[in-house]
Amino acid sequence: MEDLHQGDPRVLGSYRLLAVLTEAGGERRYLAHRPGGTGHVDITLVQGDLARSADLLRSAAGPGLVAYADAGTEADAPWLACVHVPSLTLADVRGLLYAGLPEPAVRGIGATLAGALARLHALGAAHGAVTPGGVLLGASGARLVRPRGTGRPPDDVAALAAVLEDAAGGRPPDRELLDRCRAPDPVLRPSAAELAAHWAGQTSYALPARLVGALAREAEQALEREAVPPPPPPAHAPEPPPDATAGRRAAPARRTLLAASAGVLLGAGGVAGWVMGRGGTTALTSPGARPATNRRATRVPRGVAPPTLWRYDAKSKQRIALPVALGEGEVCCILESSRLAAVHTGTGEVLWTHEDLPEQEPVLTLADRIVTVRAGRIAAFSPRTGEELWTEPMSVMSGRGRIGLMGGSAEQRLALYHAVPPEGGTPETHQPYVVALGVDDRAERWKVKVASGARGDVVAIAVPGLDDVWHLMQRRYPGGARIIRVDVATGRVRWDRVHDWPEDLMSVVNYDPYSEQFIALLHGRLRAARADADAPHWSLDLYEEPAGEQSRKPHTTQPRRIKGVPGPLYFVAGPHQSVHAVDLGRRREHWRHRLPADPLRDSVTGQAVPPWVRVTESGRTLLVGHRLGVVALDPATGAERWRYAVAEGSDGYTVHSAGRHAMVVNGQSVYALPVT
């Protein structure tokens, strides 16, 4: 569900339009309400013979078909209104559930839709639009969108078989029967009436609990939209009659819904009994019903998540380590505990593995090298073959102490590491360094002394778009935080300054190369200052931390230029479960997007885990991972494009960008999606 767009009508006939729904059957749909009436309707802008569709809906009315309510046959843009039973299209369901629906639900869908087709065929008409995008699935059953009256009954039967196979994730029940439905000779196909008789009595809709919860959240949004006063109508459209009771009706209905949903979420088995009558409608709707911009590169329908290309399951019982290290070209690297696997991004084929890497060590991908720490040495591997190309000890401190990989420069073909003194060492006897090592010749290019001896105290901050410049930040330094600007190619220190910002303020720091400012975030307040400033010179309050929550490090992105937005945008997600886009040029919030309020909790501390945010490499999509799944947003507007989730578990989701692919991590599995 999405706000009305600028070019959308606000009024059709006597109906006030409230929101844009997912396209179904390739036609644009709206959620609408008639002032003074009860319940909602779905209004479809019809492309084709409206009179024929309306007549067939009235004549074949019953389970499995949308229920006719009204029509605008004389309108400039003909429209059809049907009783609103908020639903997911089956195309949406396949984007949300990796393995498809359970067998009882698939049989129930088959029984209901076959019965609806049998009624149409008895009238001498075919439906003509039996597709995953033309089937709506709600808590009480499945329904077909308006019939087109085109084609032949055997075509509908073959199309129904394809729909059921898609709904089951490619593993449908009654395979032999469905194969008969697609027999090359239409005469050999069973009739819709025969299919309905075969599945008679099998009308269970055991929806997974994930879908039930999502339907409840969407239902609340629908009720809230009805209570919002309508915006000023366009100049050419008459204003609908006022309805003084709308706000009073919506509030008790919303309370009823929340009470009902609390019971349903205790178990998916009670879905069939969870129907809140509201003027003859079902107060449920879809989490995937979000219109999206045209996704030409992935060729998926509007509002539907891209298809899962492949799945990788961890061989150990450990969660996939974060972040997933992404390789160059067609190879990505997946780290689980001490096991490193290289996977082909297009096919999911495992190319090679290493089983003996130290745990909790970072893995860097630099051009055609994978660099990590192994047996106290820096090691490089080939991304395509897994061959160990070389190992190299630290040249400083005679190899003693520990190595902390910090990052690298693909352009300069350098790996940066922090050489930490051994325990008991002092700055006088064991000076810590940041060292740049060539990944081709294993030669030490340069080193910079730092005054911190603790591993992790020094971080390297890359400057996007300026691969030859890095900032080395020492978090714990007398008087504040020390920042050293270094020429990565030569190691020349361009400047060395100390910021007297509070120490804990430096926990989340990025650099905006467009305004040449450092950005720090703590307790929901964003602060920015130039490198030569003694203190932040502007700040912005984004959110208040939830009551009872301790501060947890939020997740952020590097500032990015986004098409259609004047200034660079900085994306922030904190424990309050909202995503913020901050316009750094105007120093204000550009938009915010609220996620489901129930966060993932840290298993040790119990703190709310912030959502994971990542901009795709093209800059066209913002991916957000949270407890229930992944949401794709328009980075320029915050509008939701699609949602993705899998049926197994709810361990929380993180997402990583690899060229034209997104790698979604959930527990012990990685899922690859094509993205733009």
Side-chain angles (χ1 to χ4, degrees):
M1 188 179 303
E2 191 177 71
D3 292 340
L4 295 171
H5 301 169
Q6 185 175 3
D8 288 323
R10 267 47 181 179
V11 175
L12 286 173
S14 60
Y15 297 94
R16 176 165 73 94
L17 274 55
L18 304 177
V20 181
L21 299 175
T22 291
E23 286 187 359
E27 295 178 323
R28 193 162 180 80
R29 293 193 308 147
Y30 300 97
L31 176 69
H33 172 71
R34 173 183 285 169
T38 58
H40 295 112
V41 295
D42 291 356
I43 291 186
T44 301
L45 297 183
V46 174
Q47 303 170 9
D49 189 343
L50 173 57
R52 175 67 167 156
S53 292
D55 182 60
L56 288 174
L57 283 177
R58 287 190 291 260
S59 301
L65 283 174
V66 293
Y68 173 86
D70 199 356
T73 55
E74 303 300 325
D76 292 339
W79 52 267
L80 174 70
C82 294
V83 175
H84 178 63
V85 182
S87 309
L88 295 164
T89 69
L90 282 181
D92 292 335
V93 171
R94 289 294 291 118
L96 289 169
L97 298 178
Y98 175 78
L101 288 166
E103 286 191 7
V106 175
R107 287 194 175 98
I109 292 169
T112 301
L113 298 187
L117 292 175
R119 296 195 305 273
L120 286 169
H121 296 170
L123 296 171
H127 188 280
V130 183
T131 66
V135 177
L136 301 172
L137 180 62
S140 59
R143 295 163 300 123
L144 290 163
V145 297
R146 73 170 184 93
R148 274 45 167 188
T150 59
R152 302 171 302 167
D155 298 332
D156 284 345
V157 169
L160 177 60
V163 162
L164 296 179
E165 182 168 0
D166 184 79
R171 297 181 296 274
D174 304 321
R175 166 70 74 178
E176 183 177 348
L177 176 62
L178 296 185
D179 287 343
R180 286 178 53 212
C181 292
R182 290 175 288 194
D185 186 350
V187 176
L188 300 178
R189 298 172 190 169
S191 68
E194 290 173 329
L195 293 176
H198 175 80
W199 288 314
Q202 301 189 46
T203 55
S204 170
Y205 296 97
L207 299 183
R210 181 187 302 279
L211 297 185
V212 178
L215 292 170
R217 289 189 297 275
E218 284 293 307
E220 184 178 3
Q221 287 190 28
L223 296 174
E224 289 175 345
R225 286 176 183 272
E226 181 185 335
V228 174
H236 63 277
E239 186 170 352
D243 178 16
T245 65
R248 293 197 295 270
R249 277 201 319 274
R254 180 183 178 204
R255 288 194 293 270
T256 304
L257 170 66
L258 296 180
S261 64
V264 167
L265 295 181
L266 294 177
V271 174
W274 184 44
V275 178
M276 187 193 75
R278 191 170 187 272
T281 66
T282 304
L284 298 174
T285 192
S286 157
R290 304 288 178 126
T293 56
N294 183 24
R295 299 179 56 82
R296 294 180 182 175
T298 55
R299 299 181 182 274
V300 297
R302 185 184 180 99
V304 179
T308 304
L309 298 177
W310 50 262
R311 169 179 175 173
Y312 173 91
D313 293 315
K315 302 305 181 287
S316 67
K317 294 184 179 180
Q318 301 295 320
R319 290 172 59 91
I320 299 294
L322 301 180
V324 173
L326 301 173
E328 287 289 321
E330 298 180 339
V331 179
C332 74
C333 295
I334 299 175
L335 182 63
E336 47 170 304
S337 186
S338 61
R339 185 177 191 271
L340 179 66
V343 178
H344 190 286
T345 55
T347 65
E349 176 189 2
V350 177
L351 304 176
W352 54 263
T353 61
H354 278 290
E355 305 285 349
D356 57 349
L357 295 180
E359 295 189 23
Q360 298 181 342
E361 289 290 352
V363 176
L364 305 178
T365 56
L366 301 173
D368 56 350
R369 299 285 191 276
I370 295 174
V371 180
T372 188
V373 175
R374 192 179 190 190
R377 295 169 172 246
I378 296 180
F381 302 93
S382 164
R384 295 190 175 277
T385 66
E387 175 189 3
E388 184 174 277
L389 302 176
W390 50 260
T391 60
E392 186 72 17
M394 305 185 283
S395 60
V396 296
M397 297 184 297
S398 301
R400 293 175 293 173
R402 297 187 64 189
I403 302 173
L405 277 175
M406 303 172 64
S409 167
E411 179 70 23
Q412 302 294 335
R413 303 184 69 80
L414 295 175
L416 270 65
Y417 67 88
H418 183 200
V420 183
E423 292 186 11
T426 65
E428 290 75 21
T429 59
H430 298 93
Q431 178 70 50
Y433 287 87
V434 171
V435 182
L437 183 74
V439 298
D440 295 318
D441 56 11
R442 294 177 283 172
E444 179 185 299
R445 302 289 179 81
W446 50 263
K447 59 185 178 183
V448 174
K449 286 185 179 181
V450 291
S452 174
R455 189 170 186 254
D457 277 356
V458 179
V459 295
I461 303 175
V463 179
L466 298 176
D467 198 67
D468 61 335
V469 176
W470 281 65
H471 293 106
L472 308 179
M473 175 177 291
Q474 297 178 243
R475 301 176 190 269
R476 300 174 179 86
Y477 192 82
R482 180 187 181 195
I483 301 176
I484 308 170
R485 183 160 178 146
V486 177
D487 185 310
V488 174
T490 64
R492 181 174 64 88
V493 175
R494 298 190 179 184
W495 47 256
D496 183 346
R497 297 189 177 94
V498 176
H499 281 262
D500 60 355
W501 303 9
E503 179 180 302
D504 58 356
L505 185 61
M506 310 308 290
S507 60
V508 179
V509 179
N510 281 316
Y511 183 77
D512 175 19
Y514 308 104
S515 63
E516 297 186 350
Q517 295 183 104
F518 286 100
I519 306 166
L521 182 65
L522 183 69
H523 300 307
R525 171 171 286 188
L526 184 146
R527 297 171 173 85
R530 295 183 63 85
D532 56 358
D534 293 330
H537 70 281
W538 66 268
S539 66
L540 179 65
D541 288 326
L542 294 179
Y543 60 86
E544 293 184 4
E545 293 185 350
E549 294 285 351
Q550 299 179 8
S551 177
R552 169 131 184 175
K553 181 178 178 180
H555 199 259
T556 64
T557 68
Q558 293 287 353
R560 290 286 297 270
R561 288 282 189 190
I562 302 298
K563 185 177 181 180
V565 182
L569 292 184
Y570 183 57
F571 299 100
V572 175
H576 60 307
Q577 305 301 298
S578 285
V579 181
H580 307 261
V582 179
D583 187 328
L584 296 176
R586 300 181 181 182
R587 305 178 187 178
R588 67 186 186 191
E589 188 175 36
H590 185 61
W591 56 256
R592 73 171 57 187
H593 183 93
R594 181 71 177 172
L595 295 168
D598 187 15
L600 181 70
R601 297 280 174 179
D602 187 284
S603 59
V604 177
T605 66
Q607 295 179 11
V609 177
W612 185 277
V613 288
R614 183 63 57 91
V615 183
T616 58
E617 293 183 15
S618 68
R620 298 174 185 171
T621 305
L622 177 68
L623 300 170
V624 183
H626 58 103
R627 186 178 71 85
L628 298 177
V630 174
V631 181
L633 304 178
D634 183 333
T637 66
E640 185 172 309
R641 291 177 170 171
W642 46 263
R643 296 186 183 187
Y644 177 86
V646 295
E648 298 88 346
S650 57
D651 294 329
Y653 294 73
T654 61
V655 62
H656 309 266
S657 180
R660 296 181 177 227
H661 297 86
M663 303 297 166
V664 176
V665 181
N666 176 256
Q668 298 176 344
S669 298
V670 179
Y671 303 83
L673 310 179
V675 295
T676 57

